[in-house]
Amino acid sequence: ITLRSTQTMLSHSLQRSARTLGRGARAPARRFGGYVQPKLKQGAGLSAGQTMPTDEEQATGRERAELDAAAQGTQYFERKPVQMQAGQGTFANPVQVPTHEDSRIVGIVPKGQDGPLWFELNGDGVVHYLTDVDLHFALKKVPMPE
């Protein structure tokens, strides 16, 4: 390879790069269909003279809401598992999943499986059939605790 051929290859490479960058610069900006990011609830963060903010100071979103609830002595997420009673899981007697809302995402780990199967229940008393475990589920509205 001679010096002249190296200069020619470099020149062609630079021209291709310039054309590619030029096309990219004219490409329209990506649009998000009018989506507006909701206001973020967050702590004050790092203060002057402080070395590392605590979890409470830097937490945002649901984690922040969960920490605030814990500070008040309440629980933000329901963590107790739903225990099936004998005979539950049929269409006539579905597994009752308590909720304060109109819908709830539920996970079940079948025997012999490593991870949960996730599904959403909607509507108070509406029966949902999960074919993978051959069980019926329904939401049961419960009042919010005082």
Side-chain angles (χ1 to χ4, degrees), residues 31-116:
R31 306 223 191 279
F32 293 107
Y35 174 77
V36 178
Q37 177 71 32
K39 193 167 182 93
L40 188 64
K41 181 181 176 187
Q42 63 187 33
L46 190 62
S47 302
Q50 196 177 23
T51 56
M52 176 66 102
T54 64
D55 286 343
E56 290 78 13
E57 292 170 328
Q58 64 183 349
T60 61
R62 287 187 173 176
E63 181 184 15
R64 175 95 182 168
E66 190 173 14
L67 289 171
D68 289 347
Q72 296 171 2
T74 61
Q75 194 175 29
Y76 187 73
F77 290 112
E78 181 61 61
R79 289 191 165 82
K80 293 185 293 187
V82 174
Q83 297 295 325
M84 286 180 49
Q85 305 300 318
Q88 268 191 323
T90 64
F91 183 79
N93 187 17
V95 177
Q96 299 290 314
V97 179
T99 185
H100 306 296
E101 304 296 328
D102 294 326
S103 69
R104 182 167 174 181
I105 296 175
V106 181
I108 182 171
V109 181
K111 285 185 179 179
Q113 188 166 326
D114 293 337

Side-chain angles (χ1 to χ4, degrees), residues 129-145:
Y129 178 64
L130 189 58
T131 57
D132 295 323
V133 291
D134 193 31
L135 291 172
H136 293 80
F137 295 85
L139 283 183
K140 180 182 178 184
K141 286 283 262 198
V142 293
M144 288 286 273

